[in-house]
Amino acid sequence: MHHKTIIEPFRIKVVEHIKMTTEAEREAFLKKAQYNPFLLHSNEVIVDLLTDSGTSAMSSNQWGGIMQGDESYAGASSWLRMEAAIKDLTSCPYVLPTHQGRAAEHLLYNQIGGKGKVFFSNTHFDTTRANIEFSGATAIDLPSPEGKETAVSHPFKGNLDVAKLAENIEKHGAENVAAVILTVTNNSGGGQPVSMANAKEVAAICKKHGILFILDACRIAENAWFIKHREEGFDEKTYREIAQEMFALADGSVMSAKKDALVNMGGFLALKDLDLAIKCRTVLIITEGYSTYGGLSGRDMEAIAVGLQEVFEPDYLDYRIKSTAYLGNALNGLGIPVIMPIGGHAVYVDAKAFYHHIPVEQFPGQSLACQLYLKGGIRCCEIGSVMFGKYDEDGKLIPAPMELVRLAIPRRVYTQSHIDYVIETFKALLDVQEQATGFKITYEPPFLRHFTARFEPV
Ligand SMILES: *Cc1c(COP(=O)(O)O)cnc(C)c1O
């Protein structure tokens, strides 16, 4: 028979206690946090959907590996296992371990960037952009036209606009292009997938112009699921083979292991070019640690080696993508405006459409994040004018293009009943939709204000 219920393809061996709270308690916690969920303590939260980064639950095999971690300074067996797993996946002979993704980005983009250089991407993730701009270079996003339409359904909304890429290489001069970075899946664009055909076209353009092609591979396994099920010709291939095929197109890759390596900390840089690898390795040893551990313990590297195998297991990936879609489709069914189709790791709610009575100057996304916490103890992240808003010369808000709230799903952490509870909370919010009020900012730092800003209801 065909079962409708998505059961988690794992049993629970160790549990982590969740403290249940009442709405009155949460009202006090939220006030104390000055209406910024980032300032809540984690034990005040019932379901934490703030991020999928570093929040995965590890398997018994990973925990078993933790005990076997080899903490030798040089040439540890745990490093050799991690290195072998990455070489096999990426077909890159040179692998540099780092403490997380942004450290790998810093090593590479600082090396190849600098003043006058330009980078192109489907969308630069915020740490990617920050590292590029920090080097003095310019980061230009070239998402496909479908990717910009929240209501339009398309199988590969994460694609890079190859026509624009060709135009831009012409305009800036190939010699000034430091790299083209394909982010899979496209995190900032809603966790939307990138097709193999798109990756091939990007690779061909880069090759023609002698430009370095880098994969930001944080969610390469989730992306492989979409290719197998949505792109012609990939039915018969395994998820791992699809990932290997995509890696093989690139000259190198950066990856935060906190996503699809199913661990709480780690990352790597993998390269095909020896000269570039040596330059990055020199800085790695100065800033992160010796070249056979980067910033990692032996046990971390052991867990990454195991996680990079487990993430490609068909039952896991099927559950992962379908359970994220389960939440998104249920919200869509309730008439809650979400970005469609649902991406791999998160559901994005359009708060401006949900709270159309709250003007963007009063941050409807912040309102929704606060309401979800108040009614259900659910923590999530505003991705709108709190995060990306700017001010003009008269101090008037220049709003972000969209007012979104992101529900990011940690890997292997919550069960379907937790997700049903989230859906139920949204249902309750529909009944009090008109009562939600906006917010004003009472304190903000000059950079990355969403982390520490304070608010007051208006
Ligand atoms: C998380 C992430 C990074 C940065 O990795 P960290 O481990 O957080 O430093 C880079 N790119 C993408 C697409 C990411 O999602």
Side-chain angles (χ1 to χ4, degrees):
M1 78 175 264
H2 174 76
H3 288 277
K4 231 178 83 202
T5 308
I6 306 156
I7 66 164
E8 293 73 22
F10 47 80
R11 295 186 295 186
I12 295 164
K13 192 190 276 292
V14 176
V15 297
E16 194 176 357
H17 181 71
I18 296 176
K19 191 180 174 313
M20 294 298 165
T21 52
T22 63
E23 190 169 330
E25 286 171 324
R26 292 193 293 270
E27 199 171 340
F29 293 144
L30 195 57
K31 198 163 176 206
K32 183 194 65 166
Q34 294 178 76
Y35 303 95
N36 185 346
F38 275 103
L39 301 178
L40 290 166
H41 297 179
S42 66
N43 65 1
E44 296 161 352
V45 174
I46 295 176
V47 179
D48 205 342
L49 306 182
L50 195 61
T51 176
D52 68 318
S53 177
T55 51
S56 301
M58 291 204 289
S59 68
S60 51
N61 279 332
Q62 285 177 297
W63 281 108
I66 293 260
M67 274 313 292
Q68 310 223 330
D70 177 354
E71 305 302 339
S72 305
Y73 191 93
S77 55
S78 299
W79 157 246
L80 296 175
R81 271 192 282 278
M82 171 174 162
E83 187 191 34
I86 296 166
K87 277 185 179 174
D88 176 58
L89 207 54
T90 60
S91 60
C92 286
Y94 310 109
V95 182
L96 284 67
T98 61
H99 80 278
Q100 60 185 93
R102 70 196 66 183
E105 293 178 329
H106 182 70
L107 290 175
L108 181 61
Y109 303 145
N110 210 45
Q111 195 60 243
I112 62 177
K115 217 171 157 39
K117 293 287 182 186
V118 50
F119 291 72
F120 301 117
S121 175
N122 46 345
T123 310
H124 295 85
F125 180 65
D126 51 13
T127 60
T128 315
R129 173 174 291 278
N131 271 300
I132 289 169
E133 289 175 354
F134 188 76
S135 83
T138 307
I140 298 176
D141 290 341
L142 304 172
S144 66
E146 311 84 66
K148 290 181 250 178
E149 301 290 329
T150 56
V152 173
S153 212
H154 184 281
F156 292 103
K157 278 175 108 171
N159 283 351
L160 188 147
D161 188 332
V162 283
K164 282 253 169 68
L165 176 63
E167 257 171 51
N168 270 276
I169 291 172
E170 198 79 20
K171 181 173 146 203
H172 292 268
E175 67 285 4
N176 298 316
V177 183
V180 176
I181 304 165
L182 200 56
T183 311
V184 298
T185 56
N186 194 347
N187 185 356
S188 318
Q192 298 293 331
V194 176
S195 69
M196 190 72 79
N198 191 245
K200 280 184 183 156
E201 284 182 283
V202 172
I205 294 173
C206 287
K207 193 160 195 179
K208 182 174 143 201
H209 295 281
I211 294 169
L212 197 70
F213 174 27
I214 298 296
L215 216 55
D216 179 340
C218 291
R219 297 177 183 80
I220 185 93
E222 291 173 5
N223 199 79
W225 187 94
F226 288 104
I227 289 178
K228 186 177 167 82
H229 297 279
R230 291 186 183 170
E231 191 166 353
E232 204 165 325
F234 291 92
D235 266 19
E236 301 293 315
K237 298 213 165 121
T238 65
Y239 298 118
R240 166 176 286 277
E241 285 165 351
I242 294 170
Q244 284 168 324
E245 187 174 334
M246 192 174 264
F247 272 122
L249 294 169
D251 299 308
S253 50
V254 291
M255 180 168 177
S256 166
K258 300 171 73 171
K259 297 16 180 293
D260 268 356
L262 299 171
V263 295
N264 307 117
M265 195 51 74
F268 66 81
L269 167 62
L271 292 167
K272 288 184 178 160
D273 181 72
L274 175 62
D275 266 0
L276 186 55
I278 290 173
K279 283 183 189 141
C280 293
R281 191 174 289 152
T282 304
V283 183
L284 172 80
I285 296 171
I286 295 168
T287 59
E288 286 275 298
Y290 184 59
S291 58
T292 66
Y293 71 86
L296 298 170
S297 310
R299 51 183 169 273
D300 293 332
M301 298 193 286
E302 196 72 46
I304 290 170
V306 178
L308 284 175
Q309 307 296 333
E310 288 181 351
V311 76
F312 290 105
E313 282 170 12
D315 290 340
Y316 163 74
L317 270 181
D318 219 41
Y319 141 80
R320 170 69 177 161
I321 305 298
K322 286 182 180 167
S323 61
T324 303
Y326 173 81
L327 171 60
N329 291 331
L331 297 185
N332 191 40
L334 289 175
I336 289 157
V338 292
I339 296 190
M340 293 299 277
I342 306 301
H345 70 287
V347 174
Y348 291 73
V349 182
D350 183 346
K352 188 156 64 177
F354 188 64
Y355 287 147
H356 44 79
H357 62 289
I358 301 176
V360 289
E361 293 75 22
Q362 295 179 13
F363 310 111
Q366 194 68 20
S367 236
L368 181 54
C370 287
Q371 284 292 313
L372 279 167
Y373 177 71
L374 204 59
K375 298 290 176 203
I378 299 158
R379 175 155 70 169
C380 53
C381 183
E382 191 262 12
I383 301 189
S385 291
V386 173
M387 194 181 270
F388 295 123
K390 297 199 167 81
Y391 295 110
D392 69 12
E393 284 146 25
D394 308 322
K396 199 171 168 299
L397 179 79
I398 308 167
M402 288 188 266
E403 304 295 331
L404 301 177
V405 164
R406 184 184 75 176
L407 311 167
I409 320 290
R411 294 170 181 78
R412 302 193 294 208
V413 170
Y414 293 114
T415 63
Q416 188 171 333
S417 60
H418 290 108
I419 299 301
D420 284 334
Y421 171 92
V422 173
I423 296 164
E424 203 177 296
T425 307
F426 265 97
K427 234 183 249 170
L429 289 191
L430 279 172
D431 297 333
V432 291
Q433 210 167 351
E434 303 301 322
Q435 289 163 29
T437 58
F439 284 89
K440 69 166 188 241
I441 295 178
T442 56
Y443 160 80
E444 63 182 294
F447 293 104
L448 296 171
R449 67 176 176 185
H450 57 284
F451 289 125
T452 53
R454 314 280 147 100
F455 300 84
E456 226 171 57
V458 290

